[in-house]
Amino acid sequence: MTKIQSLRGMHDLLPDQTSTWQYFEKIIAEILERYSYQEIRFPILEQTELFKRSVGEATDIVEKEMYSFDDRNGDSLSLRPEGTAGCVRACMQNGLLHNQTQRLWYTGPMFRHERPQKGRQRQFHQIGVEAFGLKGSDIDAELILLTSRFWKALKIDHAVTLQINSLGTSEDRLRFKDELVSYLTKHFEQLDEDSQRRLSTNPMRILDSKNPVIQTLLEGAPVLADFIDDESRDHFSKVLAVLEAADVPFEINHKLVRGLDYYSKTVFEWVTTSLGAQGTICGGGRYDGLVEQFGGKPCPGVGFAMGVERLVLLLEALDVVPSSVSHGVDVYIVAGSEHTVPSMVLADRLRDQCPTLRIESHCGGGSFKSQIKKADKSGADIALVLGEQELSDGTVGVKYLRKQHPQESVVQTGLADLLNLFFTD
Ligand code: HAM
């Protein structure tokens, strides 16, 4: 019988990887807490219509990457390809946007049927942040400062660059699109197949093309910045002023348009050259029209999301995960099989008295020799040995597994102090 395998591009996260993920998630969650962002959770499955109306019908995501299917009632549902749409829907449905501001974050799996490669999966994870009800440039700047703080805390700030642009209003973009289309139509023969198709579906995405012929062609194309209204221009320069004052370096990238339709004004991406082709670790921007598009009262929004797999890959590539993060055991308790009760009691008492230590009790019996072997393999620094002699004396054997030091016999009442002292050194 053929073995059942996981789906292509959907990976298991094994125990030796989860410690790095937990380290990463903990740092991010702590910083979000310090900026007073609150967590929100919403479903993985939504009506397909939600993504069509927000991400956009003509985007790659909706056109060809969504996992969509009809459920038993015949309704079209989709696994979420991103979090912003679901977050906005949840906030509207639960009255969180009515005359109030919200600073929210979420985490979880997203699904896109893309061609898998390093840093690109079909099931991947994002941590996303969204702020609602704030139309000023200050919140855009706050979000970027927040991301910048993440990279510093993770010690990857030297390897990432901020690219930023302003998309202006939807009217500005329409005028620009017209000009862009008429310029590119004149050079239709020079466009590759993908760009020819995009010319009628989503012309602004041609700006993203990596094809050098297109890049050269774009040098003579109209520039979005020339079409942007005064208010968006002023908004953008205020965001940049905060970044400059806060010493957050940035590159203005006039070709940065992002792959989702809901953006207006500020858009940004953090990129790295240390991961190969999939170098965007975080992307976001303002989406002031989205709530209205969903039928709500106008409510400005701005946010970003980062790809957890890509960030974990980057942490590993730059070797910045502290060695203490790997799963490890500090103390391993070894006992004769007839001494299960006192050894379990000892282990639990030590967990009360030494709350920072990772203590593993040997289970499954076996000789002392084989148990010590397991203790060694666990990575523990100390094995505690409970045999006949120790039980009758009220002592425990302390065996040092990582340093040259003879085994000691320690009275049980003094054990917690010894361990606490040993592991604070
Ligand atoms: P996005 O740029 O589509 O934006 O995705 C954000 C991040 O998710 C990317 O920068 C990348 O790190 C990661 N990512 C995307 N696709 C994949 C994939 N197939 N495999 C691995 N990682 C991936 C959004 O999703 C917007 N919702 C962000 C946002 C929030 N804008 C405003 N608020």
Side-chain angles (χ1 to χ4, degrees):
M1 221 187 333
T2 49
K3 281 197 194 126
I4 296 177
Q5 302 273 325
S6 69
L7 301 176
R8 193 161 120 80
M10 303 206 179
H11 301 293
D12 304 309
L13 203 56
L14 301 180
D16 66 344
Q17 301 165 293
T18 46
S19 47
T20 305
W21 277 60
Q22 286 166 357
Y23 161 75
F24 170 75
E25 287 164 349
K26 185 160 176 260
I27 288 192
I28 302 293
E30 277 170 6
I31 295 175
L32 285 164
E33 170 90 28
R34 289 169 60 199
Y35 276 74
S36 96
Y37 284 69
Q38 289 179 292
E39 187 182 357
I40 181 166
R41 301 186 188 193
F42 44 86
I44 287 171
L45 201 56
E46 298 269 3
Q47 293 184 36
T48 301
E49 190 59 22
L50 180 79
F51 304 112
K52 283 193 178 167
R53 271 169 43 188
S54 51
V55 176
E57 300 244 24
T59 57
D60 282 351
I61 296 179
V62 171
E63 227 179 42
K64 49 187 187 200
E65 293 171 3
M66 281 213 295
Y67 283 86
S68 301
F69 60 93
D70 287 347
D71 80 351
R72 289 169 194 279
N73 304 328
D75 300 324
S76 177
L77 309 182
S78 295
L79 286 171
R80 61 184 185 193
E82 59 102 53
T84 309
C87 185
V88 169
R89 199 255 331 119
C91 288
M92 289 174 71
Q93 188 173 333
N94 293 286
L96 302 190
L97 304 183
H98 188 63
N99 288 337
Q100 51 195 315
T101 61
Q102 296 288 348
R103 284 175 160 94
L104 304 172
W105 69 275
Y106 52 84
T107 182
M110 309 289 161
F111 302 84
R112 295 184 193 175
H113 195 280
E114 295 189 82
R115 194 170 49 78
Q117 62 181 88
K118 182 181 166 205
R120 189 160 75 192
Q121 300 80 236
R122 290 181 172 172
Q123 173 173 322
F124 62 98
H125 296 75
Q126 286 185 344
I127 296 183
V129 175
E130 315 289 353
F132 295 104
L134 296 159
K135 65 175 174 12
S137 55
D138 44 5
I139 186 70
D140 306 32
E142 175 177 293
L143 288 175
I144 297 173
L145 296 186
L146 174 65
T147 51
S148 166
R149 188 178 290 274
F150 292 155
W151 318 142
K152 283 200 189 105
L154 293 165
K155 302 191 171 46
I156 57 171
D157 48 318
H158 60 288
V160 297
T161 311
L162 173 63
Q163 303 213 334
I164 190 164
N165 193 18
S166 176
L167 299 183
T169 63
S170 49
E171 295 81 43
D172 300 340
R173 277 199 307 287
L174 273 182
R175 285 190 296 119
F176 168 67
K177 247 187 232 172
D178 283 348
E179 295 285 325
L180 182 68
V181 169
S182 78
Y183 171 82
L184 292 172
T185 308
K186 280 189 219 137
H187 302 87
F188 190 77
E189 296 309 320
Q190 283 165 265
L191 297 179
D192 55 24
E193 206 180 311
D194 202 36
S195 302
Q196 288 184 345
R197 188 181 55 84
R198 282 187 162 151
L199 194 58
S200 53
T201 56
N202 201 349
M204 278 178 51
R205 289 294 286 176
I206 300 175
L207 300 181
D208 267 352
S209 170
K210 305 251 173 350
N211 181 341
V213 178
I214 310 272
Q215 284 295 334
T216 315
L217 190 62
L218 287 172
E219 280 167 20
V223 177
L224 176 58
D226 296 337
F227 291 77
I228 282 174
D229 66 310
D230 288 345
E231 204 224 313
S232 300
R233 211 181 286 273
D234 181 55
H235 186 101
F236 192 46
S237 63
K238 283 182 176 149
V239 176
L240 300 185
V242 176
L243 299 182
E244 264 162 18
D247 277 334
V248 176
F250 57 84
E251 282 172 14
I252 297 178
N253 177 355
H254 290 303
K255 293 195 185 126
L256 180 68
V257 291
R258 309 263 306 126
L260 305 96
D261 274 358
Y262 46 61
Y263 293 113
S264 55
K265 294 186 176 159
T266 319
V267 288
F268 64 93
E269 285 185 353
W270 285 94
V271 295
T272 178
T273 52
S274 309
L275 286 183
Q278 303 306 318
T280 308
I281 51 162
C282 173
R286 185 164 272 284
Y287 49 89
D288 288 345
L290 188 55
V291 174
E292 224 178 333
Q293 231 165 285
F294 281 162
K297 280 202 193 131
C299 174
V302 53
F304 64 82
M306 54 192 144
V308 180
E309 282 82 357
R310 289 187 194 175
L311 276 151
V312 168
L313 277 175
L314 187 58
L315 296 180
E316 285 163 357
L318 300 175
D319 199 14
V320 289
V321 182
S323 52
S324 58
V325 163
S326 65
H327 168 75
V329 174
D330 298 313
V331 176
Y332 194 100
I333 301 183
V334 162
S337 49
E338 65 282 22
H339 306 318
T340 304
V341 173
S343 80
M344 298 298 258
V345 170
L346 172 71
D348 240 33
R349 202 176 61 232
L350 288 176
R351 290 188 185 104
D352 285 335
Q353 295 170 331
C354 314
T356 58
L357 297 190
R358 295 167 295 188
I359 300 171
E360 183 169 331
S361 283
H362 179 82
C363 288
S367 67
F368 274 103
K369 197 170 160 219
S370 73
Q371 291 190 39
I372 291 290
K373 253 193 186 161
K374 287 235 168 81
D376 193 37
K377 223 173 146 200
S378 75
D381 288 293
I382 285 180
L384 297 180
V385 183
L386 211 58
E388 204 61 57
Q389 184 67 48
E390 285 79 10
L391 273 175
S392 66
D393 298 353
T395 60
V396 177
V398 177
K399 186 171 170 59
Y400 296 90
L401 298 169
R402 315 274 157 223
K403 63 177 197 180
Q404 293 295 339
H405 196 287
Q407 181 166 329
E408 290 175 331
S409 181
V410 177
V411 285
Q412 285 207 14
T413 46
L415 193 55
D417 285 346
L418 180 141
L419 293 177
N420 281 329
L421 195 67
F422 181 88
F423 285 100
T424 44
D425 278 355

